[in-house]
Amino acid sequence: MNINSYKETIDRIDPYIRYGKIDRVVGLMIESIGPEVKIGNVCYIHSDNGKKIMAEVVGFTGEKVLLMPYSQINDIGPGSLVEATDQSLKIKVGKGLAGKVIDALGQPLDHSLLPLGLQGVDTDQMPPNPLDRPRILEPIELGVKTLDTMLTVGKGQRVGIFAGSGVGKSTLLGMIARNSEADINVIGLIGERGREVKEFIDKDLGEEGLKRSIVVVATSDQPALMRIKGAYTATAISEYFRDLGYNVNLMMDSVTRVAMAQREVGLATGEPPTTKGYPPSVFAILPKLLERTGTSDKGTITAFYTVLVDGDDLNDPIADATRGILDGHFVLDRRLAEQGQFPAINVLKSISRVMPQITTAEEQALANEMRLNISTYEENYELIQIGAYKKGTNPIVDRAIQLHPKITAFLKQGIDEKCTRAEAIEKMKSVLDGG
């Protein structure tokens, strides 16, 4: 037995519990005099009714400690004790979490107990070393025809799904979760309406999808810090399974609400507002969060981040920053949704940056030919609709008009319809052959 290691552990233990006292509460921010803590440490605030409220150290002002709570703070007042822990937030992770719906702190939402055999992990971790990331060379089958053929995604790729509200982001995520060939799904519902959580789990995800998924929920009514931690918790769970050698799908809905929560925290701590009221810390945490996913020397995290675009404006600062970090973007078009095309993916505005290195020359040629026919029809749409275009004027336009109904039918897919990548490529061939 190595006695020295035990002695070293005992020497490192602080036998004192350090306390501070709340001085004032302003909006989201709690100011306390003491205790001795570091940024990111978890503290416990002792409320008047005997409960302990978890809070995190987010800054300092002179001698005062700035804290933000993980829950409602109705029962605290001036003089309430603040207990230091000298630890950051940890959650319990393991294979037993599959099929569970948990909150941002890793606790089951159905009030059940966590399974045994879980391991504690830090929610806030650094992205992998760039030189430890293998190249993305293998496609992952998502079971959505348009994505598998024209916007092929690789194992370990990070993609943004850009759309306004009500265009089908959650439905598309549910289809990917049910149909993809990933070993496990980790789904972060961040800033969602409480009503939508149960609806997504029952309707979009379904029983089969939930069996191989872990759902992390931080609804819009929860404090800003809980919404941020929801994103970090979902990412930490994905990293745990990646390190076991799994191919993980991480789906986060939505990264925009994570940015909004960080805006609340940043403004409350005194940061200056910049673009559209977002403080600099928002644009600092986005790459730090998004770069944690991707490939590693053990496994992969294929990540899908939904991005809300106000008024379908793709130049929104969060959309613009996210698009620059990720390895591709899928744009869901409200006009296509209004025409009854679901999923409403605008393939001309969407791109998968790794598609050329994970697909064959033949598959790329088919996808480019399909794009050419769609863009040709779009360019001549008004002439065709008013009857100004005469058949025979341009053979390329003639072919685009002839194939348009078949291409539209190909791009549509029912919510419960599953299609393998090989089948989708064959269907695309058939469409372009005029079959």
Side-chain angles (χ1 to χ4, degrees):
M1 182 184 288
N2 188 358
I3 299 294
N4 290 331
S5 65
Y6 288 101
K7 284 181 179 178
E8 287 170 11
T9 304
I10 291 167
D11 288 340
R12 285 198 302 268
I13 292 172
D14 186 354
Y16 295 98
I17 298 175
R18 289 173 165 75
Y19 290 95
K21 281 189 177 181
I22 287 179
D23 182 52
R24 70 172 188 157
V25 178
V26 182
L28 304 171
M29 193 61 58
I30 301 167
E31 291 184 10
S32 84
I33 301 166
E36 188 180 320
V37 285
K38 304 178 187 73
I39 291 280
N41 281 178
V42 171
C43 293
Y44 290 104
I45 302 170
H46 293 256
S47 63
D48 295 338
N49 61 7
K51 288 183 181 177
K52 287 184 178 181
I53 296 168
M54 286 179 72
E56 185 175 307
V57 179
V58 293
F60 304 97
T61 303
E63 298 295 317
K64 291 182 180 176
V65 178
L66 303 181
L67 301 153
M68 292 201 77
Y70 287 129
S71 58
Q72 301 300 328
I73 52 171
N74 300 332
D75 299 317
I76 67 171
S80 293
L81 290 178
V82 179
E83 179 187 337
T85 65
D86 197 30
Q87 288 186 339
S88 57
L89 180 66
K90 281 185 165 54
I91 56 159
K92 296 281 189 182
V93 188
K95 295 178 184 177
L97 275 185
K100 291 277 187 186
V101 181
I102 59 175
D103 65 13
L105 304 179
Q107 297 301 313
L109 280 181
D110 60 0
H111 310 295
S112 63
L113 295 173
L114 283 171
L116 298 174
L118 302 185
Q119 182 180 330
V121 298
D122 240 320
T123 58
D124 196 356
Q125 299 181 36
M126 292 301 293
N129 184 321
L131 294 183
D132 291 339
R133 291 179 181 270
R135 287 178 59 204
I136 300 167
L137 298 171
E138 189 181 349
I140 185 170
E141 188 176 291
L142 301 178
V144 179
K145 286 184 293 185
T146 308
L147 302 183
D148 282 337
T149 54
M150 304 186 68
L151 299 161
T152 311
V153 174
K155 287 180 181 175
Q157 187 175 348
R158 301 159 306 139
V159 181
I161 299 174
F162 293 73
S165 55
V167 187
K169 296 185 300 299
S170 298
T171 306
L172 180 59
L173 287 183
M175 288 175 71
I176 293 170
R178 288 194 310 274
N179 299 342
S180 85
E181 60 175 345
D183 300 319
I184 192 163
N185 302 304
V186 181
I187 302 166
L189 302 178
I190 314 300
E192 288 284 341
R193 305 173 190 90
R195 173 189 65 81
E196 289 183 332
V197 173
K198 184 77 171 163
E199 193 172 288
F200 176 82
I201 292 167
D202 291 348
K203 177 172 162 280
D204 296 328
L205 192 57
E207 190 179 339
E208 286 301 311
L210 183 60
K211 278 181 187 175
R212 60 191 191 103
S213 302
I214 299 167
V215 184
V216 182
V217 176
T219 49
S220 57
D221 59 294
Q222 293 182 334
L225 205 59
M226 279 288 270
R227 282 174 268 147
I228 297 167
K229 287 300 169 188
Y232 279 63
T233 296
T235 307
I237 293 170
S238 303
E239 288 168 327
Y240 171 84
F241 284 103
R242 175 178 66 185
D243 290 344
L244 292 179
Y246 284 47
N247 292 316
V248 185
N249 266 0
L250 170 64
M251 287 167 267
M252 194 175 291
D253 186 12
S254 72
V255 76
T256 308
R257 293 191 177 116
V258 177
M260 288 176 174
Q262 181 60 35
R263 176 169 64 180
E264 291 179 41
V265 174
L267 295 175
T269 54
E271 283 189 74
T274 53
T275 315
K276 277 202 173 179
Y278 288 102
S281 63
V282 171
F283 301 100
I285 73 153
L286 278 176
K288 188 182 171 190
L289 175 67
L290 303 181
E291 286 289 351
R292 284 171 62 181
T293 54
T295 59
S296 81
D297 53 357
K298 295 178 182 132
T300 63
I301 301 173
T302 308
F304 299 89
Y305 299 97
T306 69
V307 182
L308 281 165
V309 283
D310 292 334
D312 299 322
D313 175 21
L314 293 175
N315 295 318
D316 173 87
I318 298 303
D320 207 35
T322 309
R323 192 165 56 240
I325 298 164
L326 298 175
D327 309 318
H329 53 272
F330 303 154
V331 177
L332 301 189
D333 195 322
R334 192 176 298 279
R335 180 178 60 83
L336 294 177
E338 288 167 353
Q339 293 171 3
Q341 179 180 316
F342 291 101
I345 301 165
N346 188 324
V347 293
L348 300 180
K349 291 182 179 178
S350 305
I351 190 169
S352 169
R353 290 180 182 171
V354 303
M355 185 176 172
Q357 63 198 44
I358 59 172
T359 52
T360 64
E362 185 193 2
E363 289 166 0
Q364 289 171 41
L366 287 169
N368 289 336
E369 189 181 346
M370 185 77 92
R371 277 178 180 269
L372 174 64
N373 282 290
I374 295 170
S375 64
T376 302
Y377 189 87
E378 288 289 318
E379 286 167 12
N380 295 277
Y381 177 76
E382 290 184 3
L383 292 175
I384 296 164
Q385 290 302 304
I386 63 173
Y389 176 77
K390 291 184 180 178
K391 188 177 179 182
T393 308
N394 185 330
I396 297 173
V397 179
D398 290 345
R399 178 167 166 76
I401 294 170
Q402 179 196 349
L403 294 179
H404 178 68
K406 293 168 186 172
I407 291 173
T408 304
F410 172 78
L411 296 176
K412 290 181 182 179
Q413 186 169 341
I415 294 172
D416 298 318
E417 182 187 341
K418 186 173 180 180
C419 182
T420 66
R421 186 164 180 269
E423 289 170 350
I425 291 168
E426 285 304 314
K427 284 182 182 178
M428 185 164 67
K429 276 185 189 174
S430 175
V431 166
L432 293 173
D433 290 342

